[in-house]
Amino acid sequence: MDTVILNVGGTIFEISWKLLKSYPGTKLAELSENCPEFRKEKNEYYFDRNPEIFNVILDFYRYGELHFPSNLCTRLLQKELIFWNIESSIESCCMHPYLKFESQVKLLDKINESKSTCQECFDTLPRGLRFRRTIWTIMEEPLSSKAAKVYMVFYFMVILISTVVILLSSHADFREERREFNGNSTEMRIYLQVQHVNEKVITFVLNRPFLVLVILERMTDLFFVVEMAVRFSVCPCKKTFFKSLLNVLDLIINIAIIAKFVLENYYIAIYKSRSLYIIYACCHAVVIFRLTRVFRFALQFSGIRILFLALWDSLKDLSMLLLMCLTLAIIFANMIFYAEFSNFTFSNMFQGIWFAIVTMTTVGYGDIYPVTTLGCTVGAFCALSGIIILAVPIAIVAGNFTTYYKKYTEFQMIKGMQDDRPLTRSQISI
């Protein structure tokens, strides 16, 4: 028999055996009378598949190329290719819908990953851990319940108070002489001045914040340490807890809080020892990063989350742009250095790099500037190049943000029409 009859979804197709056998390894090439799809009484093979897409499959056997109309669903075509054991790639003329589908799948994966929490891990734990799940939901999902919203507001208030305390503690009007000196701090001041200690450091040695500020700082520090300990204890996926960058940052901040608390009991030794002073200053600087805790709640809102996704997706382009800026800064630094060679304005190229960066970013501190005609010309070209370069990252980030937000809105509409069922890749439309 030279031809074979194929019944695909009720539509009859007839094709030669020779053509099917020309592509060994595919499903049609391996057909025989022993196959479960063979109907002996009708002398045909029956497949309950889409007959419209089967025309695409037959064209592959005829021409050796895989083409498909743009009105066909790419996801459905992928399933059909898997069923018929065809591994050929789609031709470039028909690749656009396929690439569009793949890009949408990647966007969906990134959006779902950005929303992922450890909630699914509770499904594998005993039911007796319901209390842990409730606590975790309140602390990690601020929009899940009224209690979670109240906790979010309280958390923001604590962050605000701790930030205001840190700012006020650095101002001289909110500091008082340490009680340990009993009003006799002159001797210590003279000693520190002899040691050539900075006047700002001397002020911080002899004075301390008002008692109410110290108490508020201790309370907020204790809250943050306890809060992270509770979150870690109720987290169902402790192995993945510190895979979050924000959780790692929280751990570093809490270590700095504890170290700062210990070192403050030896405040005089801190300022006499340079190494202890550096450690203490670093701890103080790290503690202010507690403001980043806001991002843990902010990422629950779609607009902020999509903005971070757009920035992350633009990271490669922005990195290349940064490299270009540094390259131009070095070039202009070299040019301005020799253009101002007859003056002492730019004593080295590092000052030229500083001038190029503040000029290209349109900051222009005015602390250093060219005075010769040639130097001003170089500065003008530097400023013009900065304007051109600064326009590029805005377009990149804005384009990615628009793409993410558009797709996210589409996914949410699809999810809403399907009665809030979990969104899967099969729900993506071309």
Side-chain angles (χ1 to χ4, degrees), residues 358-381:
V358 298
T359 302
M360 291 172 66
T361 54
T362 68
V363 176
Y365 285 115
D367 55 337
I368 184 171
Y369 52 88
V371 294
T372 65
T373 303
L374 184 58
C376 291
T377 304
V378 173
F381 279 107

Side-chain angles (χ1 to χ4, degrees), residues 208 225 248 294 299:
R208 72 173 186 182
V225 173
V248 173
V294 175
L299 290 175

Side-chain angles (χ1 to χ4, degrees), residues 234-252:
V234 300
C235 178
C237 308
K238 291 182 172 56
K239 292 183 179 180
T240 60
F241 183 81
F242 289 110
K243 289 184 178 180
S244 169
L245 180 61
L246 291 178
N247 289 335
V248 173
L249 189 57
D250 278 351
L251 178 62
I252 296 173

Side-chain angles (χ1 to χ4, degrees), residues 63-87:
Y63 308 115
E65 298 177 348
L66 196 57
H67 300 266
F68 71 97
S70 58
N71 64 315
L72 294 180
C73 175
T74 307
R75 176 66 175 174
L76 189 58
L77 177 66
Q78 283 185 336
K79 291 182 178 180
E80 290 296 316
L81 293 177
I82 293 174
F83 177 81
W84 299 109
N85 292 336
I86 295 177
E87 298 179 355

Side-chain angles (χ1 to χ4, degrees), residues 156-169:
F156 280 144
M157 291 299 296
V158 174
I159 293 176
L160 179 62
I161 292 172
S162 66
T163 304
V164 171
V165 167
I166 292 175
L167 295 177
L168 293 180
S169 298

Side-chain angles (χ1 to χ4, degrees), residues 69-128:
S70 58
N71 64 315
L72 294 180
C73 175
T74 307
R75 176 66 175 174
L76 189 58
L77 177 66
Q78 283 185 336
K79 291 182 178 180
E80 290 296 316
L81 293 177
I82 293 174
F83 177 81
W84 299 109
N85 292 336
I86 295 177
E87 298 179 355
S88 177
S89 59
I90 301 172
E91 295 300 314
S92 58
C93 57
C94 301
M95 186 62 74
H96 177 70
Y98 181 80
L99 294 177
K100 186 177 179 181
F101 169 78
E102 288 297 321
S103 66
Q104 288 184 340
V105 168
K106 292 179 180 179
L107 283 175
L108 176 60
D109 289 340
K110 290 181 179 179
I111 292 174
N112 287 335
E113 287 175 5
S114 69
K115 295 171 60 179
S116 63
T117 63
C118 294
Q119 285 288 359
E120 59 274 8
C121 298
F122 280 105
D123 298 333
T124 62
L125 298 176
R127 293 186 176 181

Side-chain angles (χ1 to χ4, degrees), residues 4-13 17 20 27-32 35-39 44-51 54 80 83-84:
V4 58
I5 298 176
L6 305 174
N7 186 342
V8 181
T11 303
I12 303 300
F13 298 88
W17 276 111
L20 296 181
K27 191 175 185 65
L28 294 179
E30 305 297 330
L31 292 179
S32 66
C35 294
E37 295 87 0
F38 182 68
R39 290 179 173 180
E44 67 179 17
Y45 294 88
Y46 176 76
F47 297 94
D48 188 14
R49 310 299 295 183
N50 191 322
F54 190 68
E80 290 296 316
F83 177 81
W84 299 109

